[in-house]
Amino acid sequence: MRTLQPVRGTRDILPAEMRRHRAVAETARRVAAQYGYEQMATPVFEFTEVFKRTLGEHSDVVMKEMYTFPVSEEGDTVTLRPEGTAGFARAYIANGMQQNLPVKAFYTGPMFRHERPQKGRLRQFHQVGVELLGPSRPLADVEIIAMGQQVLAELGLSESITLELNTLGDLESRKAYRAALVEYFAGFKDKLSADSRHRLDRNPLRILDSKDEGDQAVVADAPTFGDYLNQHSQDFFGQVCEGLDALGIGYRLNSRLVRGLDYYSHTCFEFTTTALGAQGTVLAGGRYDDLIETMGGPATPGTGWAAGIERLSMLMDRDTTPTRPVAVVPAGGDAEMAALRITQDLRGRGFTVDMGYSGNMKKRLKRANNAGACAAVILGGDELAQSVATVRNLDTGEQETVALDQLPGYLARYQPG
Ligand code: ATP
Ligand code: MG
């Protein structure tokens, strides 16, 4: 075997970290449900076209980051999903979901991008996300931003996170801005990175998002979008801001904020933190009114966001602890079968129960303590003859004799409902 390490950029998620992942995913799912969003899932891989057409042929994701495999002699390929929206849009069209607008969906699962692994940047990572199809009004954007904010607040993260907000305007505004950017950047061609020189012909907006220092110096004096927004785009953005103000949600306008993918229009936003170094964006999204039509579906406005579970779970300082088990401890071989039956009966009633398989009583009690058990149900021969057990509180050491048929009622003090 070449190596027992996981493939570069992928990770094993051990139980303590998995608990944090679950807390993120569960919190997001619960909050989304409060807004009427129902969970759905699409496949982890799709025909490559699904991503190529929607994310933009020239986006970083499509050009460098996709894991693509051949699946037929004819040259069809499939790609591991780098993000959730394209597959969701495909599913919306394929399942005729336009019959039931608005569609409000929540999803969670692994995503795959072939990028340089570093803190907060993996090749297999996980996201939670929401999509809202149907509403074209700015209030819909306000709602999904408010939902993102609530998820972060319920994870205890609102203090350390800022909301950055921008608009990419409608198509007309983007065309005008694009032309202005091409003209401006053309004057600095020799100062731009090779990547950004490519972007110049293809998608100059993306130069604004470049992480290259040389690019950033040029970007600093680039024309700003605000000057190229038509009236409709200005009104739309104004209403998003008004809605956020009405809800008391603070934000920072950032005219340099663009999203890495082609399908966005109007509202775009990112919740960022300074606590994770360069990988500071934890939740990001925006409006994508042209996406469904681009894919060949019925024109349907949409808006949504996705959040990186690994980045959020790194920010959470509190660990969520698992339920402390009740330990059933048979004293002596004769008691083992009875202990097995009692253990299984308690689990059937909803208790979390551990039974040590071997060792003397002292050893088993020690193991119960190590497992974080809250109480031990000790079963000895004498006790069984009288149909009772000794229940010891493992925090205080106090113990009581309890009739076996009273056991579930008695243990409820340790693991209520
Ligand atoms: P970045 O600018 O950090 O590359 P992005 O714009 O590519 O992010 P999105 O496509 O908006 O990211 O994905 C939404 C969220 O998913 C990000 O804000 C981040 O939290 C998470 N994410 C994206 N790529 C990765 C990755 N390679 N590893 C871990 N998390 C990621
Ligand atoms: Mg990226």
Side-chain angles (χ1 to χ4, degrees):
M1 183 145 332
R2 191 155 63 109
T3 172
L4 294 173
Q5 294 303 310
V7 172
R8 188 165 133 83
T10 70
R11 297 174 53 194
D12 302 313
I13 305 172
L14 301 184
E17 191 184 350
M18 197 69 223
R19 285 200 299 275
R20 283 198 295 274
H21 274 226
R22 268 194 8 240
V24 173
E26 271 305 299
T27 302
R29 195 193 51 72
R30 184 169 39 74
V31 170
Q34 285 186 276
Y35 290 72
Y37 288 61
E38 281 222 84
Q39 184 162 7
M40 61 177 269
T42 60
V44 166
F45 53 89
E46 299 269 358
F47 285 114
T48 304
E49 275 309 295
V50 170
F51 303 113
K52 242 191 198 163
R53 286 268 295 281
T54 55
L55 311 187
E57 293 261 4
H58 306 298
S59 64
D60 284 355
V61 168
V62 170
M63 299 229 311
K64 324 188 269 214
E65 296 177 3
M66 297 205 306
Y67 284 96
T68 297
F69 309 91
V71 285
S72 76
E73 308 259 301
E74 291 76 49
D76 291 328
T77 61
V78 298
T79 294
L80 297 182
R81 64 178 180 200
E83 56 95 59
T85 304
F88 166 74
R90 197 240 348 107
Y92 167 80
I93 299 168
N95 294 286
M97 291 166 82
Q98 71 267 22
Q99 306 302 330
N100 276 310
L101 289 175
V103 170
K104 298 173 159 192
F106 167 83
Y107 64 85
T108 180
M111 306 291 162
F112 306 85
R113 296 185 193 178
H114 188 271
E115 30 188 356
R116 193 168 72 76
Q118 50 197 295
K119 184 181 175 198
R121 196 176 289 291
L122 292 156
R123 291 180 170 173
Q124 174 175 342
F125 62 101
H126 299 78
Q127 286 185 337
V128 288
V130 295
E131 313 288 0
L132 169 56
L133 291 183
S136 59
R137 301 271 321 276
L139 283 193
D141 304 38
V142 174
E143 173 180 282
I144 65 146
I145 293 173
M147 185 180 1
Q149 143 97 23
Q150 189 177 338
V151 170
L152 297 173
E154 297 205 6
L155 291 171
L157 302 176
S158 37
E159 296 282 291
S160 56
I161 289 177
T162 324
L163 168 60
E164 305 213 21
L165 186 65
N166 193 20
T167 177
L168 301 174
D170 60 8
L171 201 56
E172 184 186 84
S173 307
R174 273 201 306 288
K175 273 192 179 143
Y177 185 46
R178 192 194 143 105
L181 281 181
V182 170
E183 197 183 314
Y184 170 81
F185 284 126
F188 296 94
K189 242 183 169 161
D190 48 335
K191 295 217 169 71
L192 292 176
S193 66
D195 270 354
S196 285
R197 278 201 299 276
H198 271 304
R199 295 180 182 123
L200 191 53
D201 312 319
R202 292 162 170 166
N203 193 340
L205 252 73
R206 215 169 277 114
I207 300 177
L208 302 176
D209 198 26
S210 170
K211 286 165 185 132
D212 179 274
E213 272 182 31
D215 289 349
Q216 283 176 0
V218 179
V219 163
D221 294 320
T224 49
F225 214 149
D227 299 333
Y228 297 87
L229 291 174
N230 60 18
Q231 196 58 46
H232 168 66
S233 300
Q234 287 180 34
D235 292 346
F236 193 101
F237 192 50
Q239 286 176 49
V240 172
C241 296
E242 222 176 279
L244 292 173
D245 293 340
L247 295 180
I249 296 176
Y251 52 88
R252 198 174 75 85
L253 295 178
N254 176 357
S255 64
R256 298 289 180 225
L257 182 69
V258 293
R259 308 278 304 125
L261 310 175
D262 270 1
Y263 53 60
Y264 287 102
S265 55
H266 290 295
T267 319
C268 85
F269 60 92
E270 291 189 348
F271 285 88
T272 61
T273 171
T274 49
L276 291 176
Q279 274 57 253
T281 305
V282 291
L283 186 154
R287 177 163 281 281
Y288 50 85
D289 287 347
D290 306 319
L291 173 63
I292 303 287
E293 209 177 356
T294 308
M295 293 185 81
T300 313
T303 182
W305 52 252
I309 295 182
E310 280 82 359
R311 290 189 196 176
L312 287 173
S313 94
M314 272 193 287
L315 291 175
M316 289 169 58
D317 45 8
R318 67 200 152 99
D319 190 6
T320 49
T321 44
T323 306
R324 296 177 71 189
V326 168
V328 173
V329 180
D334 294 348
E336 271 187 347
M337 281 307 142
L340 190 62
R341 264 200 320 275
I342 289 167
T343 299
Q344 206 54 15
D345 176 67
L346 287 172
R347 287 178 180 150
R349 294 171 191 271
F351 288 95
T352 301
V353 190
D354 241 11
M355 184 179 140
Y357 288 114
S358 60
N360 59 26
M361 193 166 98
K362 203 174 140 203
K363 263 212 182 112
R364 293 196 211 208
L365 275 173
K366 192 167 166 209
R367 228 180 283 129
N369 261 318
N370 290 344
C374 49
V377 176
I378 300 163
L379 297 164
D382 294 349
E383 282 140 327
L384 281 175
Q386 299 171 49
S387 291
V388 298
T390 301
V391 179
R392 182 184 298 175
N393 180 323
L394 290 177
D395 292 330
T396 64
E398 281 164 38
Q399 50 186 45
E400 273 186 77
T401 303
V402 180
L404 288 183
D405 56 1
Q406 305 292 316
L407 208 49
Y410 182 85
L411 290 174
R413 72 191 61 186
Y414 290 104
Q415 290 180 2

